[in-house]
Amino acid sequence: INLKTTRFAFAQCSNMQGLIDDEMFIGCTSLKNTSGMFMNCSKLGKFNETVTNQHYSIPAGLFNSCRNTIENTSYMFSFCGFDGKIAVGNPTIIKDDNGNITTISFENGEQKGLFADCVNLISVSHMFEGCDNIKGSIPQDMFYMTNSKNNYEKLENMSYLFAGCHTMGLRYS
């Protein structure tokens, strides 16, 4: 799929409901810009626990198909109604005898964190701004890089990434 941008595609769709599917961008290997895609979709990301036991609103695998191309996710989910958390990837973690992490590996196809290995990422500003019901902490692997030489050399703007997320850090119950 040669889709390059989804800028503001569903912005202001205040009655849009449901969960964000981790296969939303599957096959979109050219996607660069998702800025404002769901901005002000105030009912998006709310889930009914009787239907699913999923406790996250943002899946870690959302950008799996476009980790090499995604550049801008600014305002993508700003002011959405998320009531779960940002999912954590599931890397293989190896610790030494003292419990210190020595290796984090995705060699066996484990799911990476939301922006892990997004080597061309430039801006994530305001992405979750005003998502005042999103819970949990910032996933430790959200910005993980397998190759430390890349280290988000292109990332320029993270301003207001979690501004107004009043329930961040609260445990999901």
Side-chain angles (χ1 to χ4, degrees), residues 117 144-152:
D117 288 332
Y144 179 79
M145 277 291 189
T146 303
N147 182 346
S148 62
K149 291 180 182 176
N150 293 332
N151 281 337
Y152 294 96

Side-chain angles (χ1 to χ4, degrees), residues 91-105:
T92 299
I93 297 176
I94 300 170
K95 296 181 180 182
D96 64 17
D97 293 337
N98 296 321
N100 299 315
I101 295 174
T102 59
T103 307
I104 297 176
S105 171

